[in-house]
Amino acid sequence: MANKKPVFKPYYQHQLMAFPPTFDELIPADHTVRLVDKIINVINVEPLLNAYHIRGASNYHPILLLKVLVYGYVTNTYSSRKLAIACRESVPFMWLSGMSKPDHNTINRFRGARLKHALRSVFEEVVKYLAEEGLLSIDEVYTDGTKIEANANKYTFVWKKSIQTNKAKMKKQLDEIWNYAQSVATVEDLLPEPPTAKTVSPESIQATVDKLNEVLANNDQVDKKTKAKLRYLTKNYPETINKYEHQEEILAERNSYSKTDPDATFMRMKEDHMRNGQLKPAYNVQISTSNQFIVNYTIHSNPTDILTLKSHLEQHENSFNRPPKILTADAGYGSEENYTLLEQKQVESFVKFNMFDKQQNARYNQKYPFATNQLFYNEQKDAYICPMGQSMDFVGTVKKRTTSGFEQHIRRYQAKNCNNCPLNGACHKSKGNRLIEINENLQRHKQKAHRLLNTEQGISHRKKRCYDVEPVFANIKQNHGFRRFMLRGKQKVEIEWGLLAIAQNIRKKAA
């Protein structure tokens, strides 16, 4: 039997070609890079061109750099150094750039500076282009948010409570030394109260330190320990209080921020593999989608979704000159302020409130038969009837303000005799007569939301929300590995997410 030998295809590594192939021949007709090239070529990029000024040396063309960046985010290449390498080694990038070889500084400078005021308009043009093709709707959107880790050190942070605690300690120590100073000072040196008695500010701290030095510094009766304390607070307290004031300005309404990225707030992340509730510096990313295309996006330093809807809707109006006609969101957005805002803007909203899902369960309602929403309301007498038939009469109205400054009007109703009631303890836990608070405007909004959510259209929107907006985050974070921003500062983070949003829309169209 003859010996069989393996057969190989010809391999001539250094063979010369009379007609070498072009990049265009090497890229398939349905390749995603062709779609990136087509979309960027047809949209209006005038705002991007206006970011350049007539001075200095010639620049790489902004269309070239924009295509390279967008295709980089489409293919999970986020680093400017890797993009620069790709322009020298990757066929699709070389085809896009026309064999130009921008270095990583050029790419990074373009992304951080040139796109600062132009990327939003590029994103909007892409959305309008897709809307004209009938792939998405600008008027019917699904809104949700996620938290993405910031490019910041999670061990260098500033906490509002810590500042307040330290300022209280400073005030206490100054008061102690002030009281001691009064006991050893002459009559003409004494003041009725220390400057820190009411407020802790740079001015009051400096005034207190100056007065203490005036009274105690040259007094021989003062013990050495007190003089050492006085020297310490003279040297450190004015500088420290100025630092605290600066930190409080950065904090504003937030409870924390990272020293390496002051715009980032410490938030609880779902990707907590230790499951110990670890806080990390992050941004709250809000998007509105249609058919899994991103229609609108905003970046927030506030971890609570409920406070983001107002500015998110304003951005939608700025982008498309009108609010959406229909908006669907989960219970994280269901508040009186948001319901009122949506009603004022005439947006048909399918937004759950916090107890909507539980109230759909009959067993849950049976478990809490004495809940406020289960009480009977007598409209003629303006009174609620307790489970034992006692009338709970109106006793007054109070005003409350939310953390965003929204004013709520609360009506109070109270029973007259709960002491000998057999249901006392089961009906309510307060020691005196039961007092309930009713927000009529919020009740009205909840009843409207409950009615809309249970219509055929509402059920359809509730179902679609789960497979419209949520998979977009899953695709970006899990499939494309984007779990941490590369740039620092809210403005640059918005640029980075804008590139991700454009890339998501192009990938979706290509699919």
Side-chain angles (χ1 to χ4, degrees):
M1 185 175 179
N3 292 330
K4 290 187 176 181
K5 294 182 179 180
V7 180
F8 301 105
K9 292 182 179 181
Y11 172 57
Y12 306 110
Q13 184 179 1
H14 302 291
Q15 182 180 8
L16 298 178
M17 294 184 181
F19 300 100
T22 64
F23 287 134
D24 197 66
E25 293 175 302
L26 295 175
I27 298 173
D30 59 348
H31 199 284
T32 309
V33 73
R34 293 188 182 276
L35 184 59
V36 172
D37 181 65
K38 177 185 175 183
I39 291 177
I40 300 300
N41 282 338
V42 298
I43 64 173
N44 178 21
V45 292
E46 194 66 29
L48 178 58
L49 300 177
N50 293 336
Y52 287 79
H53 305 285
I54 306 173
R55 66 170 183 263
S58 60
N59 301 283
Y60 283 101
H61 201 287
I63 300 297
L64 180 162
L65 295 172
L66 179 61
K67 289 178 180 179
V68 167
L69 267 175
V70 170
Y71 186 65
Y73 276 76
V74 168
T75 56
N76 311 335
T77 310
Y78 310 119
S79 165
S80 59
R81 292 182 184 274
K82 290 182 179 179
L83 288 170
I85 293 171
C87 287
R88 296 195 300 270
E89 300 177 357
S90 171
V91 171
F93 280 97
M94 293 166 74
W95 177 76
L96 266 184
S97 64
M99 287 295 290
S100 296
K101 300 177 178 63
D103 62 14
H104 71 276
N105 282 326
T106 301
I107 295 171
N108 203 39
R109 193 162 50 244
F110 174 79
R111 178 169 55 183
R114 301 297 188 186
L115 289 179
K116 183 162 52 177
H117 303 297
L119 186 66
R120 174 67 69 169
S121 66
V122 174
F123 167 76
E124 291 165 3
E125 287 295 320
V126 172
V127 171
K128 291 172 184 176
Y129 171 82
L130 297 171
E132 287 173 1
E133 290 198 349
L135 296 173
L136 60 84
S137 169
I138 293 172
D139 295 323
E140 184 178 321
V141 299
Y142 298 83
T143 301
D144 201 4
T146 192
K147 297 174 179 65
I148 295 183
E149 188 177 351
N151 181 12
N153 190 334
K154 60 185 176 183
Y155 300 112
T156 56
F157 44 77
V158 174
W159 294 96
K160 179 178 282 188
K161 286 187 178 179
S162 177
I163 293 174
Q164 293 171 345
T165 301
N166 290 337
K167 287 173 73 173
K169 288 180 180 178
M170 291 171 66
K171 180 180 180 303
K172 182 180 178 182
Q173 290 176 358
L174 286 168
D175 286 345
E176 289 175 355
I177 297 180
W178 187 272
N179 292 332
Y180 175 80
Q182 284 186 319
S183 66
V184 299
T186 57
V187 176
E188 58 270 16
D189 288 331
L190 297 181
L191 290 175
E193 64 178 9
T196 58
K198 296 179 181 179
T199 60
V200 178
S201 65
E203 294 76 17
S204 65
I205 291 291
Q206 190 63 56
T208 304
V209 169
D210 292 343
K211 186 61 182 176
L212 288 173
N213 277 304
E214 180 185 335
V215 174
L216 300 179
N218 299 318
N219 194 325
D220 297 334
Q221 299 179 12
V222 180
D223 60 86
K224 293 182 179 179
K225 189 174 180 180
T226 302
K227 283 190 175 182
K229 286 183 178 180
L230 181 59
R231 286 195 298 272
Y232 176 82
L233 64 88
T234 301
K235 181 180 178 181
N236 295 289
Y237 274 25
E239 182 181 348
T240 302
I241 196 65
N242 277 318
K243 181 184 75 172
Y244 288 158
E245 291 285 313
H246 176 65
Q247 289 175 345
E248 285 180 325
E249 285 182 12
I250 297 173
L251 281 166
E253 301 298 325
R254 295 182 292 161
N255 291 321
S256 64
Y257 73 83
S258 171
K259 289 182 179 179
T260 47
D261 184 358
D263 290 337
T265 306
F266 279 77
M267 307 180 187
R268 296 195 184 277
M269 311 290 287
K270 288 184 178 179
E271 297 83 8
D272 182 14
H273 60 280
M274 297 296 290
R275 296 184 180 178
N276 58 1
Q278 186 180 15
L279 296 171
K280 292 182 181 179
Y283 288 94
N284 187 354
V285 180
Q286 298 289 312
I287 64 170
S288 292
T289 65
S290 175
N291 294 330
Q292 296 186 1
F293 290 94
I294 299 177
V295 177
N296 181 31
Y297 68 89
T298 49
I299 308 294
H300 304 266
S301 298
N302 194 306
T304 310
D305 288 344
I306 207 167
L307 300 175
T308 63
L309 186 62
K310 182 178 180 181
S311 59
H312 190 71
L313 279 176
E314 287 173 354
Q315 180 59 59
H316 192 285
E317 286 185 277
N318 293 336
S319 296
F320 308 110
N321 299 320
R322 64 180 187 273
K325 293 180 180 178
I326 301 175
L327 183 142
T328 306
D330 63 13
Y333 301 85
S335 69
E336 181 185 0
E337 181 178 4
N338 288 342
Y339 285 131
T340 303
L341 175 68
L342 291 165
E343 187 176 68
Q344 289 172 350
K345 293 184 179 294
Q346 297 180 348
V347 178
E348 186 177 9
S349 60
F350 298 91
V351 181
K352 294 180 182 179
F353 47 89
N354 57 350
M355 299 296 289
F356 174 79
D357 288 326
K358 289 185 177 180
Q359 289 180 3
Q360 304 303 300
N361 190 335
R363 294 180 63 183
Y364 176 83
N365 294 327
Q366 292 172 0
K367 189 177 180 181
Y368 300 97
F370 307 128
T372 302
N373 64 312
Q374 305 265 37
L375 301 179
F376 175 76
Y377 176 65
N378 188 323
E379 191 172 352
Q380 292 180 346
K381 296 182 178 180
D382 188 20
Y384 282 83
I385 309 301
C386 82
M388 289 299 294
Q390 183 184 172
S391 176
M392 303 177 69
D393 299 325
F394 172 72
V395 293
T397 304
V398 295
K399 294 180 181 179
K400 294 183 179 180
R401 286 193 178 274
T402 63
T403 53
S404 62
F406 182 77
E407 189 175 272
Q408 297 177 317
H409 297 268
I410 312 295
R411 294 174 64 85
R412 289 182 168 181
Y413 297 83
Q414 190 169 29
K416 295 180 180 177
N417 184 18
C418 293
N419 293 332
N420 300 319
C421 179
L423 295 178
N424 195 352
C427 176
H428 66 102
K429 302 297 180 182
S430 56
K431 293 183 179 179
N433 295 327
R434 183 178 182 181
L435 177 70
I436 62 173
E437 294 185 340
I438 304 297
N439 186 333
E440 290 185 335
N441 188 41
L442 179 58
Q443 269 195 342
R444 178 181 66 81
H445 284 305
K446 284 184 175 181
Q447 290 170 359
K448 179 181 176 182
H450 187 276
R451 184 177 67 256
L452 284 172
L453 288 165
N454 284 305
T455 61
E456 186 176 343
Q457 186 185 14
I459 293 171
S460 174
H461 282 299
R462 282 159 52 193
K463 288 180 179 179
K464 189 176 179 181
R465 188 195 69 81
C466 300
Y467 60 83
D468 197 301
V469 62
E470 292 182 1
V472 173
F473 285 132
N475 185 43
I476 292 173
K477 296 170 79 172
Q478 184 65 32
N479 297 340
H480 296 279
F482 192 91
R483 295 179 177 273
R484 191 172 191 260
F485 288 109
M486 299 186 67
L487 306 180
R488 292 181 177 178
K490 185 178 178 181
Q491 194 174 55
K492 290 186 176 180
V493 163
E494 286 181 351
I495 295 172
E496 195 166 7
W497 187 261
L499 289 167
L500 280 166
I502 294 171
Q504 164 66 21
N505 289 350
I506 291 176
R507 280 196 299 259
K508 181 65 179 174
K509 176 173 169 55

